[in-house]
């Protein structure tokens, strides 16, 4: 194979062309098919919500989802990659409601029929797919869009029904009522995990902090309770104290108040926080209060209400040491009410409006502060303060959440908690600290999972209820469409609401109707490992042979969300962890450190970034950044540019190679073989060893799922190859007296670049493909295997490292003396500590030192030069007149080379050269070194004071010089 110079293209050109090339030649499909399906590597692609559009944050995870499967494919694994879509749940419904102008859940079924609403949801889920596909292609990710699964598909939902029934029959799913986080705008409960997955769900709010007076029966004293939720006061049924605390009855402003003694200084202050005068009437333990009765604030709720109870959760950290209790709106209050048999009073409907009483019809969050102010006027509230605190909001519609007692269906997490913790032991986490950190702690603290939602667009819960003649409820859970047909005779095209709601059947004379709840979409996502295959109805062997999955990756929020839910569902069903390896990324922020947002304008569109620099540069930056270590990271466009500039060094090497290969008509024999054992030049031995060192380091880190660790040595290697190996080898490509050495240099550089393409293939697939095809003519590097690690010559690596360190010392001594590198010096003494005293090797390294330090002589000492301690190098910085003239001659050569470039001469153009100067010393320097000037500048002749076609005026150390040259038409070849 021959090579032509000038064939490099801009990244945006070859990247977009390769996208079409890969599709036309089915390269992705073939890369999978050429591997045996019996040796599979299973990748789970966490489905994104189809409602969103891809941005840089999305591309972070999707790039990792491309890098790892590409690597394992090159390692010989059969790696199928199927896209998936999350289509159900609040994200989809909120998206649809914005388009329809729906402001309230009550509009669904009134202003718009449920049928039209569901159809619109479905249509919306289909419309945004093409935008995703274009951007995913542009970033270079290979994934099967045509075979994508969707959680709204009929088969997927049937697998969800199967899983639900399996868990129900094993006693892992039950119906109950608990206090849950609840969104009044969407009129549905949420699970704690989906709210806490992102810090953004908690926002600072300013709430009234009120001190409420409850009058003790048969006493003139008031219990002074504290709450930050005055909206719950109409639902009050009790107060709680701690029986072990010290309490006091005090007289203040003519009233007798009871509160915790330790909190007197904090509580008894005026509106300016100045102390109020008070008198302690008596002190006593909290147990004296337990069981006493109080007058109701509003309505009387019976004998078990309006009583003082003991609760351990009452503390002295804030408030009064006495807590108001509204069991319908507090988790701990609800549990206390159940234990004590207290009534649970609900005063707010499912949409957030008061159902009765003096605030009937008012929206809860509008009434909150009003209630506090009204009760202050009436003397029920003793005083109001305001607090700033973090409060949960709906992660989809941004409405403030409430805690609310709500009937739901739950999955029993408590009974399998220990098993989930044990199975976590089988998972490899990167970063590792998440294993026993966030993930384990999430499992340890997780409540039973609220599975049901009072919504519409999701998998319908397969639960039918009937009531017998005695009024007893009966439940039938259905696990398949076939089972439903056997029960009802009905087979549907669409098993969503409202069509599934109309399916009724009778068993033993009892009519069963489906409950109007749908599944939490996280249960659907957690079922992805089996539901994507329509298991257990289809693909049973395929699923069971490839379970658990090998790899998943998502951002840190999914530790509490998708990773947790997948773990919970699959441990419950199969008794095993669902995935073996997981990478957790940090959060990717905009250029101002804030969350990426169009409204902030703090990030560049990823397609624009990729067109401006390259998709590969963006991929490389993301995969090597701290975000892949689980840390938060702020993306700056300049950093993408910097990476592209460094990757471009590869093309500089390619340009150098093809430039001289074209001139010399050098041909590649078509075999990629390690030349290591046949190399005699230490430079060749070193770069090949560095290459194998790189291959080994990348491979080792990828097997640990440490992507940034795998990429860490890549840019240093490219710098070594370009700025040391190629630069040090330039003369080998010029000279003709040692053709074998030149051939070896060509073979070595070609081998290094081809193997580098293999190493880069998972990370920068476009660059790797373009480089590989240009160097080999082969169809694709992505159809090749991961390169084997050859012999690493540790001695040569150490020797080169020592020499480079010595050269750095010598250059530092030059800089300290203010002497430019182009100024020759007489000698340097150094101690080559790791280099054997064999003549050939020593001569090679001595020449490197001579060239790099620009000295006439390298003196090797048995020990470090005495006067150079603690250094190993001693540079003679004396500049004689003769050396100074040689330095000037070298400056002349530099200016001539610049002139060649300015006048656009080819690398092998021979020239006629004339130099003119009025300075005698500079003329003498040119005369003494004319042979060198002629040789280095490809001049056929050097004359003084003539004018040719092109001329350039310049200065050499402040001395005037005119360069005049023209191409010698009769001969254009290198010496």
């Amino acid at each position: 194979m021959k090579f032509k110079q000038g064939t490099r293209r801009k990244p945006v050109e070859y990247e977009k062309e390769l996208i079409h090339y890969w599709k036309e030649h089915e390269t992705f499909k073939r890369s999978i098919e050429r591997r045996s399906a019996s040796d599979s590597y299973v990748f789970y692609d966490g489905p994104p919500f189809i409602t969103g559009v891809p941005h840089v944050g999305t591309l972070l995870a999707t790039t990792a989802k491309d890098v790892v499967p590409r690597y394992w494919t090159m390692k010989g694994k059969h790696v199928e990659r199927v896209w998936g879509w999350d289509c159900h749940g609040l994200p989809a419904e909120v998206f649809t409601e914005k388009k329809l102008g729906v402001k309230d859940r009550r509009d669904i079924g009134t202003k718009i029929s449920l049928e039209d609403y569901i159809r619109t949801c479905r249509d919306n889920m289909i419309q945004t797919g093409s935008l995703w596909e274009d951007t995913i292609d542009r970033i270079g990710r290979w994934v099967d869009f045509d075979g994508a699964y969707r959680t709204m598909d009929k088969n997927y939902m049937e697998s969800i029904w199967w899983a639900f029934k399996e868990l129900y029959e094993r006693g892992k799913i039950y119906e109950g009522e608990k206090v849950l986080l609840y969104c009044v705008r969407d009129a549905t409960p949420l699970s704690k995990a989906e709210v806490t997955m992102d810090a953004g769900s908690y926002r600072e709010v300013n709430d009234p902090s009120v001190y409420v007076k409850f009058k003790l029966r048969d006493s003139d004293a008031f219990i002074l309770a504290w709450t930050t939720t005055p909206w719950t006061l109409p639902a009050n049924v009790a107060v709680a104290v701690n029986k072990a605390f010290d309490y006091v009855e005090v007289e203040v402003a003519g009233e007798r108040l009871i509160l915790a003694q330790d909190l007197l200084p904090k509580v008894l202050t005026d509106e300016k926080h100045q102390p109020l005068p008070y008198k302690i009437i008596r002190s006593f333990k909290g147990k004296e209060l337990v069981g006493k009765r109080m007058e109701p604030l509003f309505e009387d709720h019976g004998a078990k209400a309006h009583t003082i109870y003991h609760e351990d959760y009452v503390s002295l950290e804030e408030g009064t040491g006495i807590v108001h209790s509204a069991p319908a709106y507090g988790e701990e209050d609800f549990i206390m009410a159940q234990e004590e048999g207290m009534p649970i009073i609900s005063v707010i409907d499912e949409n957030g409006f008061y159902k009765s009483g003096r605030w009937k019809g008012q929206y809860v969050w509008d009434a909150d502060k009003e209630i506090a102010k009204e009760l202050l006027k009436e003397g029920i509230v003793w005083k109001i303060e305001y607090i700033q605190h973090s409060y949960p909001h709906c992660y989809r519609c941004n409405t403030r959440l409430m805690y609310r007692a709500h009937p739901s269906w739950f999955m029993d997490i408590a009974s399998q908690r220990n098993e989930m913790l044990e199975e976590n032991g089988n998972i490899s986490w990167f970063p590792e600290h998440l294993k026993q950190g966030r993930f384990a702690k999430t499992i340890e603290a997780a409540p039973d999972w609220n599975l049901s939602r009072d919504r519409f667009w999701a998998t319908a819960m397969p639960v039918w209820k009937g009531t017998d003649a005695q009024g007893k409820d009966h439940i039938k859970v259905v696990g398949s469409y076939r089972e439903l047909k056997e029960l009802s005779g009905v087979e549907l095209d669409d098993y969503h609401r409202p069509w599934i709601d109309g399916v009724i059947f009778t068993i033993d004379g009892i009519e069963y109707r489906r409950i109007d709840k749908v599944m939490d979409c996280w249960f659907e996502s957690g079922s992805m490992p089996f539901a994507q295959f329509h298991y257990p109805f289809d693909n049973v062997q395929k699923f069971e042979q490839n379970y658990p999955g090998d790899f998943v990756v998502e951002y840190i929020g999914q530790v509490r969300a998708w990773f947790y839910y997948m773990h919970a569902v699959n441990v419950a069903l199969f008794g095993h962890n669902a995935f073996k390896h997981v990478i957790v990324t940090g959060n990717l922020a905009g250029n101002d450190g804030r969350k990426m947002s169009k409204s902030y304008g703090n990030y560049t569109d990823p397609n624009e970034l990729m067109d401006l620099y390259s998709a590969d540069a963006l991929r490389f930056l993301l995969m090597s950044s701290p975000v892949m270590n689980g840390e938060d990271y702020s993306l700056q466009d300049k950093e993408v540019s910097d990476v592209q500039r460094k990757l471009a060094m590869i093309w500089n090497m390619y340009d150098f190679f093809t430039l001289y290969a074209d001139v010399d008509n050098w041909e590649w024999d078509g075999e990629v073989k390690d030349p290591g054992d046949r190399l005699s030049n230490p430079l060749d031995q070193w770069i090949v060893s560095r290459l194998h060192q790189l291959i080994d380091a990348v491979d080792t880190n990828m097997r640990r799922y440490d992507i940034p660790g795998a990429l860490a040595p890549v840019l240093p290697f490219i710098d070594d190859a370009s700025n040391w190996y190629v630069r040090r080898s330039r003369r080998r490509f010029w000279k003709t007296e040692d053709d074998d050495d030149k051939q070896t240099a060509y073979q070595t550089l070609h081998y290094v670049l081809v193997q580098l393409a293999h190493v880069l293939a998972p990370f920068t697939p476009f660059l790797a493909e373009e480089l590989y095809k240009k160097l080999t003519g082969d169809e694709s590097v992505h159809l090749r295997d991961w390169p084997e690690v050859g012999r690493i010559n540790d001695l040569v690596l150490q020797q080169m490292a020592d020499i480079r360190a010595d050269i750095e010392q010598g250059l530092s001594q030059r800089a300290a003396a203010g002497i430019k590198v182009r100024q020759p010096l007489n000698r340097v003494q150094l101690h080559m500590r790791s280099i054997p005293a064999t003549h050939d090797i020593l001569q090679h390294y001595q020449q490197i030192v001579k060239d790099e330090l620009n000295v006439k002589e390298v003196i090797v000492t048995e020990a470090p030069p005495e006067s150079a301690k603690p250094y190993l190098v001693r540079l003679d910085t004396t500049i004689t007149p003769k050396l100074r003239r040689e330095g000037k001659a070298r400056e002349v050569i530099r200016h001539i080379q610049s002139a060649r470039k300015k006048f656009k001469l080819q690398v092998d153009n021979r020239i006629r050269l004339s130099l003119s100067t009025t300075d005698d010393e500079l003329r003498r320097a040119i005369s003494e070194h004319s042979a060198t000037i002629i040789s280095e500048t490809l001049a056929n002749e050097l004359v003084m004071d003539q004018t040719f076609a092109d001329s350039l005026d310049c200065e050499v150390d402040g001395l005037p010089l005119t360069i005049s040259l023209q191409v010698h038409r009769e001969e254009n070849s290198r010496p």
Side-chain angles (χ1 to χ4, degrees):
M1 177 180 176
K2 292 186 177 181
F3 301 93
K4 288 291 183 184
Q5 58 180 297
T7 56
R8 189 213 292 206
R9 297 185 294 172
K10 292 180 179 179
V12 67
E13 295 174 356
Y14 65 71
E15 287 181 349
K16 291 185 176 181
E17 182 181 294
L18 284 172
I19 292 170
H20 296 295
Y21 174 86
W22 289 334
K23 288 185 176 181
E24 181 183 354
H25 292 82
E26 296 186 316
T27 314
F28 170 39
K29 180 182 177 182
R30 290 165 59 210
S31 75
I32 298 173
E33 291 177 344
R34 66 190 297 269
R35 310 296 186 180
S36 171
S38 63
D39 189 15
S40 292
Y41 179 92
V42 181
F43 163 60
Y44 291 160
D45 191 354
F49 286 112
I50 201 170
T51 54
V53 294
H55 51 79
V56 180
T58 309
L59 298 184
L60 168 67
T62 215
T63 301
K65 293 173 184 180
D66 188 60
V67 167
V68 174
R70 281 185 185 272
Y71 164 77
W72 284 106
T73 299
M74 293 183 76
K75 293 290 285 185
K77 295 289 186 179
H78 181 93
V79 191
E80 295 182 5
R81 282 152 269 178
V82 178
W83 189 266
W85 294 112
D86 253 341
C87 303
H88 281 153
L90 277 182
E93 292 199 59
V94 171
F95 180 79
T96 296
E97 289 169 15
K98 285 181 179 178
K99 295 183 74 171
L100 292 173
V102 171
K103 304 293 184 183
D104 194 302
R105 182 187 189 277
R106 294 171 293 182
D107 294 342
I108 302 167
T110 55
K111 294 183 179 180
I112 180 174
S113 70
L114 183 54
E115 291 91 340
D116 287 343
Y117 179 79
I118 294 299
R119 289 190 183 102
T120 305
C121 284
R122 178 183 291 281
D123 291 344
N124 287 339
M125 296 306 98
I126 298 170
Q127 291 172 2
T128 56
S130 61
L131 178 60
W132 275 87
E133 187 167 351
D134 291 344
T135 306
I136 297 304
D137 282 345
R138 185 66 186 88
I139 196 68
R141 183 181 174 190
W142 278 357
V143 64
D144 178 9
F145 275 104
D146 294 335
Y149 66 86
R150 299 180 300 183
T151 58
M152 68 180 184
D153 288 343
K154 190 175 179 180
N155 284 351
Y156 196 100
M157 293 195 301
E158 187 174 27
S159 292
I160 301 301
W161 277 21
W162 167 81
F164 186 92
K165 182 173 182 178
E166 280 288 310
L167 296 177
Y168 178 78
E169 291 185 342
R170 296 182 197 178
K172 289 179 175 288
I173 289 180
Y174 63 91
E175 185 179 17
E177 184 174 11
K178 296 183 180 184
V179 171
L180 306 168
L181 280 165
Y182 186 91
C183 177
V184 294
R185 188 267 181 206
D186 299 319
T188 187
L190 304 174
S191 67
K192 272 190 174 180
E194 63 186 321
V195 174
T196 59
M197 65 182 287
D198 282 315
S201 295
Y202 280 79
R203 302 179 186 177
E204 289 296 311
V205 295
N206 188 42
D207 276 336
S209 165
V210 301
Y211 297 81
V212 187
K213 298 188 303 182
F214 292 86
K215 188 176 183 302
L216 278 175
R217 289 184 179 178
D218 305 320
S219 171
D220 293 330
F222 292 87
I223 296 289
L224 191 63
W226 177 72
T227 182
T228 59
T229 56
W231 62 269
T232 64
L233 288 173
N236 172 267
V237 295
V239 300
V241 299
N242 191 307
K243 63 185 179 182
F245 291 171
D246 293 317
Y247 290 82
V248 292
E249 181 178 334
V250 300
E251 185 176 316
V252 56
E255 292 185 301
R256 290 165 61 194
L257 305 176
I258 294 174
L259 66 158
Q261 182 173 323
D262 289 353
L263 293 169
L264 280 173
K266 288 185 178 180
V267 176
L268 299 184
T269 61
D270 62 18
E271 60 185 14
K272 295 181 179 180
H273 303 291
Q274 296 300 310
L276 291 171
Y278 63 87
K279 176 184 177 182
I280 295 179
I281 298 173
R282 65 189 185 99
S283 302
F284 50 92
K285 288 291 184 181
K287 64 181 180 180
E288 185 179 320
L289 293 171
V290 175
K292 291 187 179 296
R293 304 269 291 159
M294 307 170 301
E295 299 292 341
L297 285 182
F298 303 104
E299 300 176 25
D300 193 323
H301 297 303
K304 283 287 187 177
H306 318 301
T307 303
I308 302 174
Y309 293 90
H310 160 78
E311 285 299 327
D312 290 333
Y313 66 74
V314 178
S315 76
L316 296 175
E317 293 181 6
E318 52 191 353
T320 64
I322 303 172
V323 178
H324 136 75
S325 178
Y329 304 107
E331 292 178 276
E332 293 163 324
D333 297 352
F334 185 82
I335 295 170
M336 179 177 75
Q338 289 181 315
E339 293 173 347
E340 302 291 347
M342 288 190 292
I344 297 172
I345 308 302
S346 175
V347 297
I348 298 169
D349 69 15
E350 65 272 17
N351 298 294
F353 295 90
Y354 283 92
K355 297 185 291 185
S356 60
R358 58 197 288 188
W359 292 284
K360 182 178 179 179
Q362 290 195 39
Y363 183 58
V364 58
W365 300 122
D366 293 338
D368 191 28
K369 293 180 181 178
E370 181 184 329
I371 291 172
K373 292 176 181 178
E374 287 186 20
L375 296 183
L376 179 67
K377 290 178 183 178
E378 296 170 13
I380 295 174
V381 165
W382 183 66
K383 75 171 181 176
I384 302 175
E385 296 175 338
Y386 286 89
I387 62 168
Q388 194 84 11
H389 64 140
S390 182
Y391 198 87
H393 288 64
C394 179
Y395 73 110
R396 286 300 169 186
C397 71
N398 299 319
T399 302
R400 182 169 175 169
L401 300 176
M402 67 163 58
Y403 284 90
R404 170 190 172 95
H406 196 80
S408 296
W409 286 74
F410 298 89
M411 179 173 166
D412 181 4
I413 297 298
S415 67
Q416 67 177 49
R417 194 183 314 279
N418 289 338
E419 189 177 5
M420 289 173 69
L421 290 169
E422 289 173 6
E423 290 301 315
N424 182 34
N426 299 326
I427 303 172
S428 164
W429 287 81
F430 187 87
E432 188 177 6
H433 66 82
L434 292 170
K435 180 171 188 168
Q436 298 305 327
R438 182 176 293 209
F439 193 66
K441 293 185 185 309
T442 296
I443 296 171
E444 290 167 357
D448 284 356
W449 180 3
N450 165 30
L451 291 179
S452 57
R453 298 289 181 269
D454 300 318
R455 293 297 303 182
F456 312 103
W457 176 242
T459 300
M461 288 192 70
V463 178
W464 275 256
K465 277 190 176 183
T467 305
D468 61 22
Q470 290 73 40
K472 181 181 178 182
D473 286 341
H474 296 262
I475 293 175
K476 179 64 178 177
V477 176
V478 178
S480 70
Y481 302 147
R482 179 179 179 181
E483 182 184 359
L484 182 62
K485 184 178 180 181
E486 290 172 351
L487 289 167
S488 65
V490 176
E491 187 173 6
L492 300 173
D493 292 328
D494 191 338
Y495 286 84
H496 284 97
R497 298 190 68 187
W499 302 282
I500 189 64
D501 297 344
V503 179
I504 303 169
F505 53 82
T506 301
I507 302 175
D508 298 333
I510 301 172
E511 184 181 82
Y512 285 79
R513 294 178 178 272
R514 200 192 71 82
I515 64 173
D516 62 354
K517 294 182 184 291
V518 296
M519 299 288 291
D520 177 9
C521 64
W522 287 107
F523 189 85
E524 298 175 342
S525 300
S527 301
M528 168 265 176
F530 58 90
Q532 64 172 324
F533 298 116
H534 192 213
Y535 177 89
F537 309 101
D538 290 307
N539 302 303
V540 172
Q541 184 177 9
K542 182 174 184 177
F543 166 70
E544 292 179 351
Q545 287 180 346
N546 294 286
Y547 180 88
D550 290 287
F551 168 64
V552 288
V553 55
E554 294 294 344
Y555 85 110
I556 188 72
Q558 298 294 359
V559 172
R560 291 195 179 109
W562 186 48
F563 295 152
Y564 167 75
Y565 290 123
M566 191 161 36
H567 195 62
V569 170
N570 287 272
V571 168
L573 283 172
F574 308 114
H576 204 288
N577 50 292
F579 46 87
K580 300 175 186 175
H581 303 277
V582 55
I583 293 175
V584 181
T585 77
N587 292 293
L588 192 64
N591 51 40
D592 58 0
R594 294 185 293 176
K595 179 181 178 181
M596 286 186 174
S597 169
K598 284 186 178 179
S599 61
Y600 296 155
N602 62 350
Y603 71 95
T604 303
D605 179 87
N607 289 288
E608 183 182 334
L609 265 182
M610 290 186 282
D611 286 352
L612 186 60
Y613 303 114
S614 72
D616 285 325
L618 180 58
R619 286 174 63 112
F620 195 102
L621 175 63
L622 292 176
M623 293 299 97
S624 59
S625 71
V627 76
M628 291 303 297
N629 285 316
E631 303 172 27
D632 291 349
Y633 173 67
S634 179
L635 180 67
Q636 308 292 328
D637 291 2
K638 182 182 180 299
E639 293 179 295
V640 185
S641 173
D642 289 344
V643 170
Q644 178 55 33
R645 177 175 49 80
K646 292 172 183 176
L647 291 176
M649 288 193 289
I650 296 172
W651 291 115
N652 294 340
M653 289 188 282
Y654 171 82
D655 288 345
F656 174 84
F657 171 79
T658 56
L659 176 67
Y660 290 104
D662 186 8
V663 170
D664 281 338
N665 291 314
W666 185 83
E667 293 188 44
W668 177 54
D669 62 10
E671 185 179 356
V672 179
K673 53 183 178 295
D674 183 358
D677 292 336
R678 296 177 284 106
L679 299 174
S680 58
N681 190 308
L683 271 171
D684 296 333
Q685 296 173 353
W686 171 78
I687 194 60
V688 170
S689 289
R690 282 285 287 118
L691 173 68
H692 291 313
Q693 194 180 46
L694 173 69
I695 296 169
D696 184 51
V698 174
D699 188 50
T700 298
N701 282 288
M702 285 301 292
R703 282 187 277 110
R704 290 199 294 248
Y705 292 83
D706 180 359
I707 298 178
L711 283 176
V714 171
L715 292 181
F717 173 82
I718 294 172
D719 184 70
D720 275 355
S722 177
N723 293 324
W724 188 253
Y725 176 75
V726 171
R727 186 171 63 79
R728 287 299 319 143
S729 298
R730 282 184 182 275
R731 290 182 179 275
R732 301 169 65 196
F733 291 87
W734 298 348
K735 63 187 181 182
T736 57
E737 62 270 16
D738 189 347
D739 190 61
D740 287 342
D741 186 53
K742 181 193 293 187
Q743 291 298 315
T744 301
Y746 275 122
Q747 292 165 4
T748 301
L749 182 54
H750 182 269
Y751 173 75
V752 168
L753 289 174
V754 170
Q755 294 299 79
L756 181 58
H758 284 76
V759 173
L760 291 175
F763 310 101
T764 57
F766 297 107
L767 186 157
E769 186 77 301
E770 178 81 349
L771 183 64
Y772 179 79
K773 288 167 66 67
K774 284 183 174 299
L775 288 169
T776 67
D778 196 8
E779 54 183 336
S780 178
V781 71
H782 303 294
L783 298 177
R784 305 276 71 84
D785 292 341
W786 183 258
E788 295 291 331
V789 179
R791 177 173 176 262
I792 299 174
N793 191 326
D794 292 321
L795 178 60
V796 169
L797 290 173
Q798 185 61 56
Q799 289 170 349
M800 197 64 75
D802 289 346
I803 284 297
R804 295 179 75 179
D806 290 346
I807 290 168
E808 282 298 314
Q809 286 190 26
L811 292 173
S812 295
Q813 291 175 33
R814 268 186 173 274
I819 303 172
K820 293 184 292 187
V821 178
R822 285 192 183 85
Q823 173 59 59
L825 296 174
N826 269 326
R827 69 183 61 83
V828 64
Q829 294 183 34
L830 55 90
H831 169 54
M832 294 187 177
R833 50 204 178 283
S834 60
I835 300 173
T838 57
H839 176 73
D840 290 344
I841 296 295
L842 188 61
Q843 188 179 48
H844 276 296
Y845 286 118
Q846 282 179 307
Q847 189 60 52
I848 292 174
V849 175
K850 277 185 180 181
D851 293 343
E852 291 294 311
L853 292 183
N854 195 5
V855 294
K856 301 295 184 184
E857 183 182 15
V858 177
I859 301 173
V860 179
T861 62
E862 292 295 326
E866 190 64 30
S867 61
K869 288 183 177 180
Y871 304 105
L872 303 174
V873 177
R874 181 186 177 192
L875 186 69
D876 183 352
T877 58
T878 303
I879 304 176
T880 65
K882 183 178 180 181
L883 287 173
R884 193 173 302 281
R885 288 193 296 274
E886 184 178 351
K888 293 183 187 301
R890 289 183 179 245
E891 288 290 332
V892 169
I893 292 171
R894 180 175 70 86
H895 284 293
I896 297 170
Q897 302 291 27
S898 296
R900 287 180 63 99
K901 290 182 180 179
K902 180 179 179 180
F903 299 134
K904 295 183 171 55
L905 271 64
Q906 298 298 315
V907 67
D908 58 341
N909 284 157
R910 308 286 303 187
I911 62 172
R912 298 178 66 200
L913 175 65
S914 174
L915 301 174
S916 301
T917 181
T918 58
D919 183 80
D920 292 340
E921 189 69 8
L922 182 56
R923 293 180 77 90
R924 182 178 176 186
I926 293 170
S927 175
E928 287 179 357
H929 299 281
S930 59
T932 302
I933 294 172
I934 289 172
S935 173
E936 294 286 330
T937 64
L938 294 188
N940 274 7
E941 61 176 329
L942 169 58
V943 297
M944 300 298 292
D945 306 323
Q946 293 188 27
T947 301
F948 297 135
D950 297 308
S951 296
L952 175 71
D953 292 328
C954 56
E955 290 185 350
V956 175
D957 294 337
L959 305 176
L961 175 69
T962 298
I963 301 170
S964 188
L965 56 83
Q966 68 179 33
V967 175
H968 197 287
R969 301 298 178 187
E970 297 177 3
E971 184 181 1
N972 286 323
S973 61
R974 290 177 294 160

